[in-house]
Amino acid sequence: MTRRLTHIILHHSATEPTLRANDPEGARLWAAIQRYHQKRWRSEVPGYVCDYHFGVGPTGVILAGQPLPMIAFNCGNAPLNAVSIAICFLGDFQRAAMPRRQLDGGITLLRLLIARRRIPVVRVLLHREVPSAVTGKAGFTACPGRFFPAAVLRAALGPAGGGRPASMNA
Ligand SMILES: [Zn+2]
């Protein structure tokens, strides 16, 4: 099964970064998030795992979610869901800054996906940059939060991180 992957969409969990007890890397929180998404979708979509393909925990650990060949219902815009890879950074970046280790883990994951899937950096979107499928306007959500380090992250990925200059991308 193949699926065209043209965009990456970045989210936060809007929760604490871990479950606190025995959850130093957020793996138990990630499992709880997945169970919640499975409860919602499994009857309609057999094998559904998660609304995100990857999670990034507060120590920078990468957590596996929905298999890439499967659509993850992540951004409220069906055409973009169909072609996107969804990444969720654990934590609430509307209220707190991201730890450097978590940012570094996210950058490593993004560099890998951008290179492997030839996705231009201009198509790495914050959830809040995604236009609503209903109104056509972006900004219907604060996700991934006002303190999400978008500028630092984009600078680290570089303008040609997808192997092509941004001007070549419609
Ligand atoms: Zn989101």
Side-chain angles (χ1 to χ4, degrees):
M1 178 170 145
T2 57
R3 177 166 85 90
R4 235 161 50 89
L5 297 172
T6 59
H7 289 71
I8 299 174
I9 300 173
L10 308 180
H11 302 265
H12 69 155
S13 61
T15 62
E16 294 291 323
T18 71
L19 284 188
R20 290 170 189 251
N22 300 318
D23 192 21
E25 298 188 318
R28 290 183 64 214
L29 172 63
W30 184 244
I33 289 170
Q34 294 195 115
R35 280 195 300 275
Y36 177 72
H37 293 165
Q38 287 164 16
K39 220 175 261 179
R40 206 169 43 177
W41 292 116
R42 272 237 163 126
S43 60
E44 289 174 60
V45 185
Y48 197 86
V49 176
C50 187
D51 288 359
Y52 312 111
H53 296 97
F54 298 99
V56 183
T59 62
V61 78
I62 306 302
L63 302 150
Q66 187 84 330
L68 277 181
M70 291 180 72
I71 292 172
F73 302 134
N74 72 94
C75 74
N77 177 314
L80 261 179
N81 279 344
V83 296
S84 62
I85 300 171
I87 301 175
C88 179
F89 291 76
L90 300 185
D92 184 347
F93 307 111
Q94 192 67 2
R95 295 194 296 172
M98 183 181 292
R100 183 72 219 195
R101 287 195 291 173
Q102 185 171 22
L103 176 60
D104 287 343
I107 289 168
T108 301
L109 173 65
L110 278 160
R111 281 185 178 149
L112 195 82
L113 291 171
I114 283 168
R116 280 225 190 131
R117 302 284 168 170
R118 298 172 187 272
I119 295 171
V121 174
V122 291
R123 291 190 186 154
V124 178
L125 303 178
L126 309 181
H127 187 184
R128 65 170 174 262
E129 294 170 342
V130 170
S132 158
V134 179
T135 66
K137 290 183 187 155
F140 61 92
T141 173
C143 181
R146 62 192 150 148
F147 298 123
F148 187 89
V152 180
L153 188 139
R154 283 179 163 142
L157 298 178
R164 288 178 288 168
S167 59
M168 284 178 64
N169 305 306

